[in-house]
Amino acid sequence: QVQLVESGGGLVQAGGSLRLSCAASGRTFSTYTMGWFRQAPGQEREFVAAISWSASLTYNADAVKGRFTTSRNNAENTVYLQMNSLKPEDTAVYYCAAGRAHYRNTDPTKFDYWGQGTQVTVSS
């Protein structure tokens, strides 16, 4: 069992940066692929980025490549999403998720545990 709590969301102007954190409980955190997803009002939840259990491999959605970076610290049971050059279309609730999926799997149904989400709003 893994419990996830996101933090770091907020309101930022276009071109700005935010760093999201996801704190996990449970001894098995380091064995899970960690993913970031987002959901805007009226839209389906979409994949943003993922990182392998070892932290050596990452995968980003095309929409955020070159702007977002995910990392993790297994000793501290935390995963991060550094978001730079933010755009208004990045506005959404951002969720972290844990699962046994391959790190390039973008299907949210393959992730077993989810945080409550944190709101990111980018103003133009």
Side-chain angles (χ1 to χ4, degrees):
Q1 191 81 6
V2 177
Q3 294 183 329
L4 305 171
V5 179
E6 302 97 334
S7 61
L11 174 63
V12 64
Q13 288 188 335
S17 298
L18 282 174
R19 188 193 197 201
L20 305 184
S21 299
C22 175
S25 64
R27 297 180 182 179
T28 59
F29 169 79
S30 63
T31 68
Y32 284 91
T33 293
M34 296 301 297
W36 288 96
F37 292 80
R38 65 187 182 187
Q39 188 166 20
Q43 298 188 20
E44 294 186 352
R45 190 165 297 189
E46 67 170 347
F47 172 81
V48 175
I51 186 166
S52 64
W53 65 270
S54 66
S56 62
L57 299 168
T58 62
Y59 182 61
N60 287 352
D62 288 344
V64 305
K65 280 181 180 177
R67 301 188 298 122
F68 291 11
T69 303
T70 188
S71 61
R72 67 190 294 168
N73 184 328
N74 285 340
E76 296 184 355
N77 279 16
T78 305
V79 63
Y80 303 98
L81 183 67
Q82 178 67 44
M83 306 186 294
N84 298 328
S85 302
L86 282 161
K87 305 175 181 180
E89 51 263 44
D90 294 319
T91 295
V93 177
Y94 283 71
Y95 300 88
C96 68
R100 302 293 188 188
H102 188 272
Y103 77 100
R104 293 177 69 91
N105 194 318
T106 63
D107 182 355
T109 67
K110 302 301 183 184
F111 288 80
D112 302 308
Y113 304 102
W114 292 82
Q116 83 289 348
T118 185
Q119 177 70 47
V120 171
T121 303
V122 184
S123 64
S124 57

